[in-house]
Amino acid sequence: MQWPLVLTHFLDRARRLHHRRLIASRHAGGVFRYSYGDWAGRVDRLAAALTGLGVRRGDRVATFGWNSHRHFEAYFAVPCMGAVLHTMNVRLFPEQLAWVFNHAGDRVVLVDASLLPLFEKVRAQLTTVEHVIVMGDGEAPPGHLDYEALLAAAPARFDWPQLDEEEAAALCYTSGTTGHPKGVLYSHRSLVLHTLGIALTDAFQLREQDVLLAIVPMFHANAWGLPFAAAMLGCGVVLPGPHLQPKELADLIESEAVTFVGGVPTIVAGLYQHVKQEARKLPTLRQIIVGGSALPQVLLEGFERELGVEVVHAWGMTELAPAGSVSRLRAEMSEWPQEAKTRVRLLQGTPFPLVELRVVQEDGKEAPWDGVTPGELQARGPWVVRQYYNDPDSSLRFDGGWFRTGDVATIDELGYVKLVDRTKDMVKSGGEWISSVDLENAIMSHPQVAEAAVVAIAHPKWTERPLACVVPRQGKASEISRESIRAYLKGRVADWWLPDDVVVLDSVPKTSVGKFDKKVLREQFKDYTWPEVV
Ligand code: AMP
């Protein structure tokens, strides 16, 4: 029984049990398909090649890529050789990218050829990277190593080390409200237990017979652990690359006979609009897991009505590897009216086994499980972060052994969590974070702006978008407009951060201690409608 819980076991299992099952990876020219057997052989070669480059136990190896078969190979080669897979978020803007690469101390970076121009923008600022390996179908440009050439030259066998379950396997950074992103380091043990947890019938219900389309990016929160679960179970895997347009996804679901999809509401909603407009049926699809932002009711009902596809709502965070809770109906609800069932399925749900959740009120007392008393949601368990990676000041995010999520929630008598607000001052647009504080600072550097507060407003396509509430300097009101602020911010922040609208105020409401009172602003603009759907 003293047997280490390490990811190597899932790699062996995929190789020995599932070697005939297929993995499909979409690229510019079509779909590449191979078997888990071929995949495992290439995982061996990648580990051997990285060892040849000097990568040792504990070293960080970064990936900078879309969901592809090569990325899936790195997902196992790096942790199983005892190194740490650092999946870098390609949506960060250049200064953040450089800071994160340096903070992680990555020695090697595996970059998608299509993302090389973006990577090159930060390359000169990187202090620890020794090798850049380009993952693509053509040859790597001079000065870089070529993934395919490295694999072709590497020995076909690799002696996998005996790992300790507490060794680090992976590293993800998550955006903070202020300051730099924060790293979360996952042990082998945490990822193995997480994999078992998510696959359960009452959880994600993934099984060998499924063909999984992982839309959720492999650079965000371990792609919800789906790549690890796929290898453990041996289900079919479909990886879309950067081809995330609704029609491209629907085509892939059809051509690969996908049964199971995981993605954020924005992308899943795009898919829904497309299949509805085009009257497509996607007959193989049976289940969609939606998480990362709240699941809209129209999606849940629409997919079920039009296509007979079950949509399941889950809540999680990078700090929870990321699975926190999932909403499924209980036996006792089977006779409930449809409306009541829908209400339950739109909740964030009950914790996965081994995860414990509680709600703590402002006075520090735990809220009763009554479904109405809100407080901060806190979590603990074997895949919940205990501290941030090399970050001495993170103690405020912990309360004894509990991690403070920054989400405000209620829990009902049966343990179902409902998110009602968030204390994190962030905007979640299309599954990725915009720091309202960083955006405010950028706006307030405008010479004609006295004060600026940014709030998240619900958006039909992106779930949330930033609205900038701006107080002009005296006599300068005529110089402040949506266009002037956006033009000023261009180049100062990432394009996708640009506020969709700007409203001019006489003053920003303040709390008793003089901070911007975002609650009042959110309340004031709760019925706000965007001038145009972007
Ligand atoms: P991340 O670590 O980037 O995946 O973001 C985690 C945060 O996303 C959570 O703390 C929530 O604020 C938000 N989030 C994740 N899942 C949901 C959900 N199902 N409903 C509402 N918000 C969610």
Side-chain angles (χ1 to χ4, degrees):
M1 293 181 198
Q2 306 301 315
W3 192 251
L5 303 178
V6 293
L7 294 172
T8 324
H9 172 74
F10 296 154
L11 171 61
D12 289 343
R13 218 180 132 80
R15 185 196 312 271
R16 306 197 63 162
L17 275 65
H18 311 304
H19 47 90
R20 291 204 208 147
R21 196 80 162 107
L22 288 188
I23 297 164
S25 184
R26 172 87 159 81
H27 57 91
V31 179
F32 168 77
R33 298 182 189 86
Y34 68 161
S35 66
Y36 272 105
D38 295 339
W39 168 83
R42 284 169 54 94
V43 172
D44 291 345
R45 284 176 181 271
L46 176 56
L50 290 171
T51 303
L53 291 175
V55 174
R56 298 288 174 260
R57 294 272 269 263
D59 285 348
R60 270 78 65 214
V61 173
T63 56
F64 194 63
W66 302 106
N67 294 11
S68 73
H69 64 292
R70 296 185 182 98
H71 207 161
F72 190 29
E73 289 160 7
Y75 251 67
F76 278 85
V78 176
C80 296
M81 66 185 283
V84 181
L85 174 82
H86 170 209
T87 49
M88 187 75 196
N89 187 337
V90 309
R91 302 259 186 230
L92 298 183
F93 55 92
E95 292 79 62
Q96 290 175 310
L97 285 173
W99 187 89
V100 174
F101 276 122
N102 291 336
H103 187 265
D106 298 311
R107 290 188 62 199
V108 175
V109 186
L110 303 164
V111 185
D112 266 4
S114 64
L115 290 168
L116 200 54
L118 177 57
F119 178 76
E120 292 298 356
K121 284 193 187 159
V122 303
R123 177 80 175 95
Q125 299 167 55
L126 307 187
T127 53
T128 61
V129 172
E130 296 158 42
H131 302 287
V132 178
I133 302 174
V134 179
M135 302 186 284
D137 296 322
E139 243 172 64
H144 302 87
L145 296 166
D146 182 80
Y147 186 93
E148 290 304 324
L150 271 180
L151 259 58
R157 263 187 57 86
F158 184 73
D159 284 329
W160 295 98
Q162 294 277 335
L163 299 175
D164 186 290
E165 64 177 19
E166 295 294 352
E167 274 180 72
L171 175 65
C172 282
Y173 281 73
T174 179
S175 308
T177 302
T178 49
H180 295 298
K182 296 189 176 306
V184 182
L185 193 64
Y186 311 97
S187 64
H188 276 265
R189 178 176 192 270
S190 72
L191 293 180
V192 167
L193 292 172
H194 181 270
T195 308
L196 291 167
I198 62 167
L200 293 172
T201 310
D202 284 331
F204 283 2
Q205 204 173 91
L206 187 62
R207 50 190 199 192
E208 188 274 339
Q209 291 178 20
D210 277 311
V211 177
L212 159 75
L213 170 63
I215 303 180
V216 49
M218 290 168 99
F219 60 73
H220 193 145
N222 305 311
W224 300 349
L226 294 171
F228 301 122
M232 172 181 81
L233 297 167
C235 64
V237 172
V238 180
L239 301 163
H243 306 280
L244 301 173
Q245 292 305 317
K247 179 178 180 314
E248 295 173 315
L249 291 173
D251 290 349
L252 203 55
I253 291 171
E254 260 172 17
S255 73
E256 308 310 309
V258 166
T259 63
F260 190 107
V261 166
V264 295
T266 300
I267 303 253
V268 174
L271 179 64
Y272 173 63
Q273 291 306 334
H274 169 79
V275 294
K276 205 171 140 189
Q277 261 161 25
E278 305 294 318
R280 295 178 76 161
K281 285 296 171 212
L282 308 182
T284 55
L285 193 58
R286 71 171 184 93
Q287 182 173 282
I288 304 180
I289 304 281
V290 172
S293 292
L295 166 65
Q297 185 165 351
V298 288
L299 267 191
L300 182 131
E301 292 177 339
F303 264 110
E304 229 147 65
R305 195 180 49 238
E306 321 267 336
L307 301 181
V309 172
E310 186 183 13
V311 179
V312 177
H313 186 201
W315 166 85
M317 296 181 75
T318 304
E319 289 90 338
L320 275 77
S325 63
V326 58
S327 202
R328 290 210 177 260
L329 295 173
R330 301 267 177 91
E332 67 178 85
M333 299 167 182
S334 59
E335 301 305 320
W336 285 15
Q338 200 58 33
E339 254 179 58
K341 286 187 186 171
T342 302
R343 212 166 38 238
V344 172
R345 294 176 55 200
L346 290 173
L347 299 173
Q348 276 67 23
T350 53
F352 289 82
L354 301 180
V355 173
E356 293 179 19
L357 298 176
R358 70 174 185 185
V359 163
V360 176
Q361 294 168 272
E362 267 171 31
D363 59 7
K365 293 207 184 87
E366 185 175 344
W369 285 22
D370 59 6
V372 291
T373 312
E376 184 178 31
L377 186 63
Q378 301 189 348
R380 67 179 182 189
W383 58 76
V384 179
V385 65
R386 196 180 48 197
Q387 62 194 39
Y388 288 107
Y389 179 64
N390 281 348
D391 183 356
D393 318 317
S394 53
S395 56
L396 279 180
R397 294 296 301 276
F398 298 88
D399 180 356
W402 295 82
F403 168 66
R404 302 177 55 182
T405 65
D407 287 327
V408 180
T410 61
I411 303 184
D412 72 13
E413 190 203 344
L414 292 174
Y416 285 81
V417 172
K418 178 180 185 176
L419 256 57
V420 292
D421 198 359
R422 129 181 1 128
T423 58
K424 291 175 281 207
D425 201 359
M426 312 274 284
V427 183
K428 199 161 201 188
S429 168
E432 299 295 329
W433 293 110
I434 296 172
S435 159
S436 48
V437 177
D438 288 351
L439 198 49
E440 282 159 9
N441 288 338
I443 301 172
M444 283 193 282
S445 70
H446 186 297
Q448 281 13 304
V449 170
E451 284 179 335
V454 170
V455 285
I457 300 282
H459 188 281
K461 176 163 181 197
W462 299 106
T463 313
E464 290 176 4
R465 287 295 300 159
L467 175 72
C469 306
V470 175
V471 180
R473 285 193 191 284
Q474 204 141 31
K476 301 293 182 187
S478 60
E479 294 175 35
I480 301 299
S481 66
R482 175 179 184 270
E483 282 61 42
S484 69
I485 293 291
R486 283 170 59 95
Y488 176 77
L489 290 174
K490 221 161 160 72
R492 289 184 160 83
V493 298
D495 278 357
W496 65 277
W497 279 39
L498 295 178
D500 293 40
D501 202 5
V502 171
V503 292
V504 174
L505 301 182
D506 292 337
S507 67
V508 174
K510 311 270 177 4
T511 65
S512 58
V513 293
K515 290 188 182 170
F516 290 168
D517 197 341
K518 300 282 186 78
K519 256 198 205 127
V520 173
L521 281 178
R522 279 202 295 267
E523 184 57 28
Q524 185 175 342
F525 290 106
K526 74 177 191 303
D527 298 324
Y528 174 87
T529 44
W530 295 104
E532 69 202 48
V533 175
V534 188

